[in-house]
Amino acid sequence: MTKKRELILKLGVAIYSFCIICFCFTPQPQLPTGVETPGIQTFGRLVFLLTPFNSFWKLGEVTSLLQLFWIFLQNALNILLLFPLIFQLLYLIPALRKTKRVILFSFLLSLSIECTQLVLDFFFDFNRVFEIDDLWTNTLGGYLAWLLYKLLHKNKIRN
């Protein structure tokens, strides 16, 4: 890889990391009226969604098309959250180019985001929710980035 491409990738990682920080670690606005996520549990100021695959299990509690759209949009955006970052890191960090490493790294990054949101909510009430589903959807996004990377570099990678 040329120095120029490496610099562009590093800049992309820095900018996208900043975007993740802004998106995940700033106060979240209240949901529009009529949009509630079923299955929410609160413990003081801390808010959790601990039901795995909550969007599917609680589908019967959805009361409007707007609510249904919001729930599926959240899942889609969570899949895409880590995708660009992991994709760029795969070019920069050859040691990451193994399926287990990508999955573990994506999961741990997602877990650290969720735990940091809890801490911020505890101290500052940022209106954040610790969601179990975010862990698997973010991890899936990292894995999909790996699959795209492998597809683009078929002949260069051994798993």
Side-chain angles (χ1 to χ4, degrees):
M1 174 181 333
T2 66
K3 292 282 186 191
K4 184 177 179 179
R5 285 185 184 175
E6 184 178 349
L7 179 62
I8 291 169
L9 280 171
K10 287 179 179 179
L11 185 61
V13 166
I15 291 170
Y16 195 75
S17 296
F18 179 74
C19 291
I20 288 176
I21 289 168
C22 291
F23 184 72
C24 295
F25 303 134
T26 56
Q28 183 172 325
Q30 294 294 327
L31 292 175
T33 305
V35 176
E36 290 183 28
T37 304
I40 295 286
Q41 301 170 355
T42 57
F43 303 96
R45 283 199 322 207
L46 301 181
V47 183
F48 296 86
L49 191 49
L50 300 175
T51 307
F53 304 101
N54 184 67
S55 301
F56 301 110
W57 295 120
K58 302 288 184 172
L59 209 50
E61 296 179 28
V62 173
T63 58
S64 71
L65 282 176
L66 178 62
Q67 189 179 14
L68 181 67
F69 173 74
W70 184 261
I71 290 167
F72 283 102
L73 178 65
Q74 282 182 305
N75 284 317
L77 291 175
N78 276 314
I79 290 171
L80 295 175
L81 180 69
L82 295 183
F83 183 96
L85 180 65
I86 300 298
F87 187 72
Q88 292 176 91
L89 289 174
L90 286 165
Y91 281 95
L92 292 171
I93 307 170
L96 187 59
R97 297 177 195 156
K98 303 254 186 239
T99 301
K100 288 179 184 177
R101 288 182 186 171
V102 169
I103 290 171
L104 181 63
F105 181 75
S106 299
F107 176 79
L108 292 175
L109 187 55
S110 179
L111 182 62
S112 56
I113 289 170
E114 294 299 310
C115 290
T116 302
Q117 287 178 340
L118 274 180
V119 170
L120 288 171
D121 235 19
F122 180 77
F123 288 111
F124 305 108
D125 196 15
F126 274 18
N127 192 33
R128 291 294 181 168
V129 179
F130 181 98
E131 295 187 46
I132 291 292
D133 284 351
D134 287 0
L135 298 176
W136 75 262
T137 53
N138 294 161
T139 303
L140 175 61
Y143 179 67
L144 293 175
W146 168 236
L147 291 180
L148 178 61
Y149 181 89
K150 282 183 11 176
L151 181 69
L152 296 175
H153 300 279
K154 273 190 228 184
N155 300 326
K156 297 178 184 177
I157 300 173
R158 279 183 284 173
N159 201 0

